[in-house]
Amino acid sequence: MRVIAGSARRLLLKTIEGLDTRPTTDRIKETLFNMLQPQIPGCFFLDLFSGSGAIGIEALSRGARKAVFIENNPKAVECIRENLSCTHLEEGALVLESDVIAGLKRLEGRNYRFDLIFMDPPYGMELEKRVLEYLSSSPMVTEDTQIIIEASKETDFGWLEEAGYHMTKEKIYKTNKHIFAGKGE
């Protein structure tokens, strides 16, 4: 895995051993950031279920003002910190070692408003639903916030509208997909 573009372009990123994480492939990451590029410079980016931190680091490398990483696996948190150090992007980063909901609660008092939120939760556990339900009443999400969920191709998002969101785009890959959602019209 590597940083695709920006100030840390071509730098290699570490990942943790084992099956606890599924790093987003460079090809999918490049496709995602090609779609997001106009929104990246100067944005506040939230990377949930961060794994190695590759998505948030890509955002920082491409000009995000701030990236917040929330990850509960201590080995993954160590990996994120090492990747931030080797890319020299730690100044714009905040890393929280925490369960995602607990981490979001910790962020509430800091007056963050996120432009982009990316989440890649473990598949088949409906964690994306729990997170979006929590965020639906959070001041961290505005009408302009774009939320991207990486999920298995089989994941059903029929509940999105009921949770207060609408799907703006769906990008399907070979084994997974990205759902783009927001609160505003």
Side-chain angles (χ1 to χ4, degrees):
M1 280 187 16
R2 62 188 170 87
V3 179
I4 306 291
S7 64
R9 183 179 182 187
R10 294 192 182 111
L11 292 178
L12 294 177
L13 298 174
K14 295 179 181 181
T15 60
I16 63 171
E17 299 275 326
L19 302 172
D20 291 342
T21 61
R22 298 172 324 282
T24 302
T25 66
D26 284 351
R27 179 172 292 188
I28 290 175
K29 185 168 51 170
E30 185 170 18
T31 300
L32 173 65
F33 276 93
N34 285 343
M35 290 185 275
L36 295 177
Q37 188 54 48
Q39 299 164 268
I40 297 290
C43 80
F44 276 68
F45 193 95
L46 179 57
D47 186 353
L48 303 175
F49 307 95
S50 303
S52 67
I55 299 294
I57 289 170
E58 186 73 34
L60 285 169
S61 179
R62 290 173 181 245
R65 186 178 341 157
K66 183 82 171 179
V68 177
F69 302 81
I70 302 179
E71 172 59 56
N72 69 353
N73 179 329
K75 288 181 181 175
V77 169
E78 182 180 325
C79 184
I80 293 167
R81 289 195 168 108
E82 287 176 18
N83 284 332
L84 285 166
S85 178
C86 92
T87 57
H88 307 289
L89 294 169
E90 56 266 79
E91 188 176 316
L94 171 63
V95 181
L96 299 177
E97 183 177 336
S98 171
D99 166 79
V100 166
I101 300 294
L104 290 170
K105 287 178 181 176
R106 285 174 52 194
L107 287 176
E108 294 258 324
R110 298 185 188 203
N111 294 321
Y112 282 120
R113 303 288 180 272
F114 290 101
D115 302 296
L116 294 166
I117 298 173
F118 178 84
M119 70 175 92
D120 183 7
Y123 293 173
M125 300 174 71
E126 296 192 354
L127 294 171
E128 60 277 350
K129 186 174 184 181
R130 284 186 37 222
V131 171
L132 287 176
E133 286 171 348
Y134 178 84
L135 288 174
S136 70
S137 62
S138 172
M140 295 185 292
V141 177
T142 71
E143 295 292 311
D144 297 321
T145 302
Q146 183 167 30
I147 301 168
I148 304 99
I149 306 122
E150 188 165 316
S152 71
K153 277 175 46 172
E154 298 77 29
T155 304
D156 176 31
F157 284 90
W159 50 266
L160 264 179
E161 254 185 59
E162 190 178 301
Y165 302 91
H166 66 278
M167 187 184 310
T168 58
K169 189 186 308 184
E170 179 179 39
K171 176 71 176 157
I172 299 174
Y173 306 99
K174 201 180 283 186
T175 60
N176 60 358
K177 62 184 173 182
H178 282 138
I179 299 295
F180 295 76
K183 287 171 123 181
E185 290 298 320

